[in-house]
Amino acid sequence: MIEIKDLKKQFGDTCACDIPAFTINDGDILGLVGNNGAGKTTLFRLLLDLLKADEGSVRIDSVNPAESEAWKQHVGAYIDEGFLIDFLTPEEYFAFLGKVSGMKQSEVDERLKDFERFASGEIFGQKKLIRNLSAGNKQKVGIISALFRRTGTVILDEPFNFLDPTSQLVLKHLLTDYARETGATILISSHNLQHTVDISTRIALLEHGSIIRDLPNSEGSAAAELQEYFGAE
């Protein structure tokens, strides 16, 4: 469970986050949607203690990330390529992540088999450093890094960016299968409304740093309201 209380972040005259109270329940697949500048990435960075809040607090499984690092073992995240160690090959990168997580190399190798379809023969065995991969393949490495430890919480910022249509469809199946198999809480932000509606169980609509609508999304029920909102902009 993720609990947000009185969370505020200001950049000059711009309000980037103002959320009095919001709870993300265990097992939710929460889609964050909003126009540019709505505050989606800022909220993720506050959740991950990459930004210091002006006021308020966040708790992930009852732990405040600003006060303890215990939460890191239970959260997988990918925001942008700054999360990657780009002077390594993908294989070296995952070996490193596995080692710091206490996984044997055989366990890392076995876990990565789950992502072979998503990797589509373009990441592993190429003998390329991450920095020399295409934007789409860097994105795949980052997404895999957020999922392969099978953590109970996953945070992905614009995961469909840079991916070709086939990879976007594979990613939707990958995320829904992951949620079903692990019971994880997954947070994604995306400008792609259709993909967000397809996979989310709940959708939060942000505007000027505030959550203005919290929409249940059983069988895509949020689609009409989202289309009305964005169509009016």
Side-chain angles (χ1 to χ4, degrees):
M1 179 182 291
I2 299 174
E3 300 169 282
I4 298 170
K5 184 176 181 181
D6 298 324
L7 191 65
K8 294 185 178 182
K9 183 65 182 178
Q10 195 90 7
F11 294 110
D13 295 330
T14 301
C15 176
C17 183
D18 185 2
I19 302 175
F22 192 68
T23 298
I24 303 163
N25 300 308
D26 291 342
D28 279 351
I29 304 178
L30 179 73
L32 291 181
V33 298
N35 289 317
N36 289 337
K40 302 183 296 296
T41 299
T42 296
L43 176 56
F44 281 171
R45 290 188 175 277
L46 289 166
L47 291 176
L48 296 169
D49 196 34
L50 299 173
L51 278 177
K52 180 177 174 57
D54 297 331
E55 298 179 31
S57 65
V58 170
R59 292 192 174 274
I60 300 177
D61 295 332
S62 300
V63 177
N64 186 335
E67 297 175 351
S68 169
E69 295 194 351
W71 60 278
K72 291 185 176 180
Q73 292 298 317
H74 310 290
V75 177
Y78 183 67
I79 303 296
D80 56 42
E81 63 183 76
F83 276 51
L84 305 174
I85 304 176
D86 68 358
F87 57 82
L88 300 178
T89 66
E91 289 90 341
E92 291 169 338
Y93 179 56
F94 290 115
F96 169 76
L97 293 181
K99 185 175 182 179
V100 299
S101 301
M103 298 172 66
K104 297 177 181 178
Q105 185 58 46
S106 59
E107 293 174 313
V108 172
D109 294 341
E110 188 65 27
R111 185 65 53 81
L112 290 177
K113 291 180 181 178
D114 294 341
F115 305 101
E116 287 180 349
R117 185 181 176 206
F118 184 52
S120 63
E122 298 177 338
I123 293 174
F124 303 118
Q126 303 302 302
K127 298 182 180 179
K128 285 186 178 181
L129 301 180
I130 292 173
R131 66 169 60 134
N132 295 327
L133 296 176
S134 68
N137 285 333
K138 287 179 184 176
Q139 187 82 340
K140 289 181 180 182
V141 171
I143 291 167
I144 293 170
S145 73
L147 298 174
F148 100 112
R149 291 189 297 125
R150 297 180 77 81
T151 55
T153 299
V154 174
I155 297 174
L156 297 171
D157 192 20
E158 297 288 353
F160 298 103
N161 275 4
F162 310 118
L163 300 183
D164 59 53
T166 297
S167 296
Q168 291 180 11
L169 292 174
V170 173
L171 177 58
K172 288 201 295 185
H173 289 294
L174 187 62
L175 292 175
T176 53
D177 288 348
Y178 182 95
R180 184 183 65 253
E181 293 167 4
T182 67
T185 303
I186 300 177
L187 285 68
I188 68 163
S189 72
S190 179
H191 284 108
N192 190 308
L193 290 184
Q194 188 59 59
H195 289 337
T196 305
V197 168
D198 285 347
I199 68 173
S200 300
T201 60
R202 180 181 174 195
I203 294 177
L205 176 57
L206 276 74
E207 184 178 282
H208 304 305
S210 297
I211 296 174
I212 61 170
R213 300 183 197 175
D214 180 8
L215 306 174
N217 188 45
S218 175
E219 297 184 357
S221 59
E225 190 165 346
L226 291 174
Q227 290 291 347
E228 181 181 358
Y229 171 83
F230 287 104
E233 290 296 300

